[in-house]
Amino acid sequence: MSLQQHTGGPSKPLVEVGQEVKLGQKIADGSSFISAALHASVAGKVVEIAPHPHPAGGEVTAIVIENDGSDEWAEGIGPKGSLESLSPEQIREIVKEAGIVGLGGAAFPTHVKINPPPDKPIEYLVLNGCECEAYLTTDHRLMIERTEDIAFGGKALAKALGVKKVIVGVERNKPEAIAAFQEIAARDDLFQVESLEVKYPQGAEKQLVYCLLGREVPSRGLPADVGVVVQNVATAAAVADAINKGWPLIKRVITVSGTGVQEPKNVEVRVGTPVKDAIEFAGGYNGTPGKVLMGGPMTGIAVHTTEVPVMKGTSGIIVVPREDVKQYDPSPCIRCGRCVDACPAYLMPVTIANFAEKGMLQEADQYGAMDCIECGCCTYVCPAKRFLLHWIQLAKHQLLALKRQNG
Amino acid sequence: MDENIQLIVSTAPHLRDEDSVSMIMYSVVWALLPATVCAVYFFRGRAIGIILTCIIVALLAEAAAQRLRGVPATLWDGSALVTGLLLALNLPPTVPWWMAVLGTAVAIVIGKQVFGGLGHNPFNPALVGRAFLLAAFPVQMTTWITPFDAVSASTPLAQGAGGIYGYGHLYLGLVPGSLGETSAFALLLGALYLLYREYIDWRIPVGYLGTVAVISLLAGQDPIFQLLSGGLMLGALFMATDMVTTPITRAGRWIFGIGAGVILMVIRLWGAMPEGVTYSILIMNGLTPLLNRWTRPRIFGHGGVKAHE
């Protein structure tokens, strides 16, 4: 179980090698304001606390637990009481103690999101039901199978935030999910359902807020700056579990898909499950795998080993067979401007990428490199097959490093 | 599960659109086919000779220049083919063969390869070739013949509106002129295909042609005559829409088209030459880097916070 499951500082281990842990026991705690707690997803013995392959590349300290198969719950796991009996502070505390992070992919700690500074009044909670990418269908299934839980979680989050309106944004190609939430909205004024155009990246937080409310989140700001908090529907379901059952975030639903697996399916897996086990569960490889992606085809990470564990923020595992992996040889830019037309942040990707390629960081910054949401649209449309996003990401990393250096 | 599987690692995104540079280039060639057929139909053997000469020389010049530069040959990306064909369609049917060779070599070598090849040239290579020939051999470059019977004649533009050619002649191309410029119908047909494939941006031709029409009206000229005569259709639909030498922003493309229209009408109305499509586009090509800088889109989130409803 990696100590870096979320956006922010890594978690601090609370256990030692050799110690017995129970299912759901807190084994690491948040280290800083933006960080999250981590809980054992199996009962057993801690066998190792050491660097372990991380999906983002390289190695990050992880706690390795040997499953004793007993699934014996830790003490104190149980319902936290009715929503009416809980105060907003208590809800925030439950969410924090459960180690819940955004399950859409970015894995931003949820308790931070629902605790905005007092000078930023929040008017709306948006439940994001737009699948963040093609291939992934977990949000869709959750919305149909766990509608009530999502609504409950939404209510709890709304109470924590003190908002009077929860907007559920669902893409138009999911009529069943829309119908399910319309039923909820019909009996509860708190909810409002909006069907949205099917397009990528509709699930991107800032773009979603703009589509739903016409509010533009300022550069480098958060939706809270325009009075909105966005939560993924799966996160809302996790909040419901934390309150109703007392479960910390130890499992999640992921899509295992792609033509490189035998039986593509959505599976509920425990956080920390090695990717290879999840693939095995979906019938194993179909042919020789070429790429194994954690996340979707547009933003997912191509992992170098299937030893990496499923993270809290892992929405899917996609296996691309070797024969389907295309490797591109970029040719010179012909200045067609498609990347400019495609960019949902209204950037000039080619210009930023060119600056980045030449190491002209300040110029890349001036052209808005930091406003890139890394959706990959520019690179997708590029007829010259240039690695635009790759260069822009590099510029962003270097700019951030520079900023840290200069304090 | 086999633990020895080597996985391929790359940066996102892992999906790419099917379009490629060579697909775009060959589509332009397809789109020029109607105009090319018209050229051959109107001017017969002369047209075939010039078109083949330009294409072969373009490919040879590209290969030679890339060899000299020590870079891999990219003959099959289709870009040299497009340049050769476009230049051919921009030449008078009576042009001597050696002039076609010279113009094409200048287009490819001076217009494109010295800047670093495809994607790096600031000016449209075919127009560089044509501008060179126009400056060096003004007489041969403005000697015209009528279609079919090849009788010496002046162009409709030189005669002015109210000459012997009606709209129908101009639309179908039954007038003296460069090989591929005469038939507006054939050019529009090809351009519609490129618009459908989204390989050209409608903003440039609409801005260019619209500006010409408006200025013609204001100057008391016949706008339809102005639109259909000379190299305007060929220029507006196929040269001013060249991706490499035009702005990458939508606003920039509007300004590009309108600016080219203004320059063209200044040349046609007050200049010493009857025609100015080549120079109008080349001048706007030169302004393209500036236009890109001036028309940077407003980045999402930089508009200030929208007022709460």
Side-chain angles (χ1 to χ4, degrees):
Chain A
M1 303 201 64
S2 177
L3 295 176
Q4 186 73 69
Q5 303 255 353
H6 49 266
T7 306
S11 318
K12 278 196 313 260
L14 299 171
V15 291
E16 284 165 9
V17 174
Q19 190 178 334
E20 294 285 336
V21 294
K22 301 249 172 73
L23 182 61
Q25 181 181 335
K26 184 150 82 172
I27 53 171
D29 212 346
S31 57
S32 55
F33 178 62
I34 300 178
S35 187
L38 185 65
H39 303 76
S41 57
V42 292
K45 197 163 109 185
V46 176
V47 291
E48 198 185 7
I49 299 178
H52 200 77
H54 190 274
E59 300 199 323
V60 170
T61 305
I63 301 174
V64 181
I65 304 168
E66 195 174 67
N67 188 357
D68 65 12
S70 70
D71 272 354
E72 197 182 320
W73 280 103
E75 273 168 50
I77 301 269
K80 305 284 184 194
S82 72
L83 202 50
E84 288 72 33
S85 67
L86 295 169
S87 70
E89 288 73 35
Q90 284 172 315
I91 295 174
R92 281 199 286 269
E93 196 53 33
I94 293 169
V95 168
K96 184 177 177 185
E97 278 307 303
I100 295 174
V101 301
L103 297 182
F108 192 84
T110 303
H111 67 271
V112 181
K113 250 188 172 179
I114 58 174
N115 194 12
D119 60 319
K120 288 180 184 155
I122 302 298
E123 283 177 87
Y124 295 100
L125 168 67
V126 170
L127 289 183
N128 187 352
C130 299
E131 212 68 61
C132 59
E133 285 203 40
Y135 282 90
L136 307 181
T137 51
T138 59
D139 293 348
H140 185 196
R141 292 312 308 173
L142 271 181
M143 285 190 285
I144 294 165
E145 291 170 24
R146 298 192 61 193
T147 320
E148 292 298 332
D149 285 336
I150 293 168
F152 182 89
K155 255 179 140 153
L157 291 166
K159 186 165 182 184
L161 286 162
V163 302
K164 299 278 174 285
K165 201 85 210 161
V166 177
I167 304 174
V168 187
V170 186
E171 283 177 308
R172 223 162 270 156
N173 61 350
K174 304 178 179 76
E176 279 178 87
I178 293 172
F181 280 105
Q182 266 159 352
E183 240 170 76
I184 303 256
R187 61 161 202 258
D188 192 337
D189 282 346
L190 181 68
F191 291 94
Q192 178 187 334
V193 186
E194 293 290 341
S195 61
L196 293 159
E197 208 181 310
V198 184
K199 61 181 177 191
Y200 176 81
Q202 186 69 278
E205 191 167 85
K206 294 177 183 182
Q207 277 63 28
L208 182 65
V209 169
Y210 184 73
C211 282
L212 285 171
L213 296 161
R215 294 182 185 181
E216 199 172 311
V217 179
S219 171
R220 294 170 210 205
L222 292 169
D225 294 322
V226 291
V228 186
V229 165
V230 182
Q231 292 288 355
N232 182 271
V233 286
T235 314
V239 169
D241 285 344
I243 295 172
N244 288 333
K245 298 170 182 158
W247 289 355
L249 183 59
I250 52 170
K251 59 190 176 66
R252 68 157 298 148
V253 181
I254 62 171
T255 301
V256 183
S257 183
T259 44
V261 291
Q262 293 281 355
E263 307 155 28
K265 56 172 84 169
N266 283 327
V267 291
E268 191 174 67
V269 298
R270 299 184 194 208
V271 173
T273 306
V275 163
K276 59 176 185 188
D277 292 356
I279 295 170
E280 196 85 59
F281 194 75
Y285 291 128
N286 181 17
T288 312
K291 273 186 187 177
V292 174
L293 307 179
M294 282 182 91
M298 292 296 282
T299 61
I301 299 167
V303 296
H304 63 289
T305 162
T306 50
E307 294 292 324
V308 294
V310 168
M311 301 277 162
K312 289 176 178 178
T314 304
S315 42
I317 295 168
I318 297 173
V319 182
V320 188
R322 174 141 300 190
E323 61 269 23
D324 288 356
V325 175
K326 294 201 182 114
Q327 310 220 37
Y328 296 101
D329 190 14
S331 60
C333 168
I334 56 165
R335 321 223 21 100
C336 64
R338 283 186 197 182
C339 54
V340 183
D341 288 347
C343 180
Y346 313 138
L347 300 170
M348 295 168 78
V350 58
T351 313
I352 301 173
N354 284 347
F355 283 138
E357 207 170 339
K358 296 186 171 62
M360 297 163 75
L361 283 183
Q362 293 317 315
E363 288 81 359
D365 196 20
Q366 275 167 24
Y367 272 77
M370 297 309 293
D371 286 302
C372 169
I373 61 167
E374 306 187 19
C375 65
C377 288
C378 52
T379 315
Y380 174 83
V381 298
C382 180
K385 313 296 172 200
R386 299 182 70 77
F387 294 97
L388 298 170
L389 176 58
H390 172 84
W391 289 109
I392 298 172
Q393 280 173 323
L394 184 73
K396 286 177 77 172
H397 286 303
Q398 290 174 333
L399 281 166
L400 282 174
L402 214 65
K403 229 159 262 173
R404 273 198 296 274
Q405 222 174 58
N406 301 338
Chain B
M1 201 177 290
D2 185 2
E3 292 308 316
N4 298 319
I5 289 168
Q6 295 271 314
L7 293 176
I8 298 166
V9 180
S10 74
T11 50
H14 307 282
L15 286 179
R16 298 290 190 104
D17 191 34
E18 295 290 326
D19 260 359
S20 68
V21 171
S22 56
M23 272 171 69
I24 294 172
M25 292 300 166
Y26 287 112
S27 297
V28 174
V29 174
W30 282 116
L32 284 168
L33 203 62
T36 308
V37 168
C38 281
V40 173
Y41 181 63
F42 294 150
F43 302 108
R44 309 295 156 115
R46 296 173 198 267
I48 296 174
I50 294 170
I51 291 168
L52 285 181
T53 304
C54 287
I55 289 175
I56 292 167
V57 173
L59 293 173
L60 288 175
E62 177 105 331
Q66 287 182 327
R67 207 191 164 90
L68 280 175
R69 287 175 52 217
V71 296
T74 54
L75 280 191
W76 312 119
D77 64 14
S79 64
L81 178 59
V82 169
T83 299
L85 181 57
L86 269 177
L87 179 63
L89 296 181
N90 267 292
L91 295 177
T94 51
V95 80
W97 66 269
W98 57 267
M99 219 180 271
V101 171
L102 191 61
T104 310
V106 168
I108 294 288
V109 179
I110 310 286
K112 180 176 167 193
Q113 287 295 336
V114 290
F115 294 104
L118 178 64
H120 301 289
N121 49 299
F123 298 101
N124 185 311
L127 288 180
V128 169
R130 183 169 195 274
F132 164 76
L133 292 177
L134 200 59
F137 313 101
V139 178
Q140 291 92 327
M141 284 296 287
T142 50
T143 302
W144 311 101
I145 55 171
T146 54
F148 308 123
D149 43 13
V151 176
S152 290
S154 55
T155 63
L157 263 183
Q159 297 174 9
I164 56 172
Y165 301 109
Y167 293 159
H169 288 93
L170 288 165
Y171 183 65
L172 293 174
L174 308 171
V175 295
S178 293
L179 285 178
E181 74 179 25
T182 60
S183 173
F185 171 72
L187 292 166
L188 281 169
L189 199 66
L192 281 177
Y193 169 69
L194 291 182
L195 282 170
Y196 166 74
R197 296 289 301 265
E198 294 185 20
Y199 287 161
I200 59 177
D201 188 337
W202 56 271
R203 291 172 183 83
I204 291 176
V206 168
Y208 196 174
L209 299 172
T211 305
V212 168
V214 168
I215 296 180
S216 303
L217 269 178
L218 292 177
Q221 300 271 336
D222 177 353
I224 298 177
F225 174 79
Q226 288 291 341
L227 287 178
L228 294 180
S229 36
L232 179 55
M233 280 292 162
L234 179 59
L237 298 173
F238 287 94
M239 321 284 272
T241 53
D242 168 33
M243 291 171 172
V244 175
T245 55
T246 54
I248 58 175
T249 64
R250 290 175 179 177
R253 290 180 190 145
W254 272 122
I255 300 173
F256 185 97
I258 293 168
V262 171
I263 296 169
L264 174 67
M265 288 315 285
V266 167
I267 295 175
R268 279 191 180 178
L269 293 175
W270 297 296
M273 297 176 292
E275 180 59 311
V277 172
T278 302
Y279 294 116
S280 73
I281 297 172
L282 284 173
I283 291 169
M284 292 312 291
N285 285 161
L287 284 176
T288 292
L290 274 180
L291 290 179
N292 280 332
R293 202 174 300 174
W294 289 337
T295 59
R296 278 163 59 175
R298 186 186 64 79
I299 297 169
F300 189 89
H302 282 260
V305 181
K306 289 248 169 98
H308 289 201
E309 289 104 312

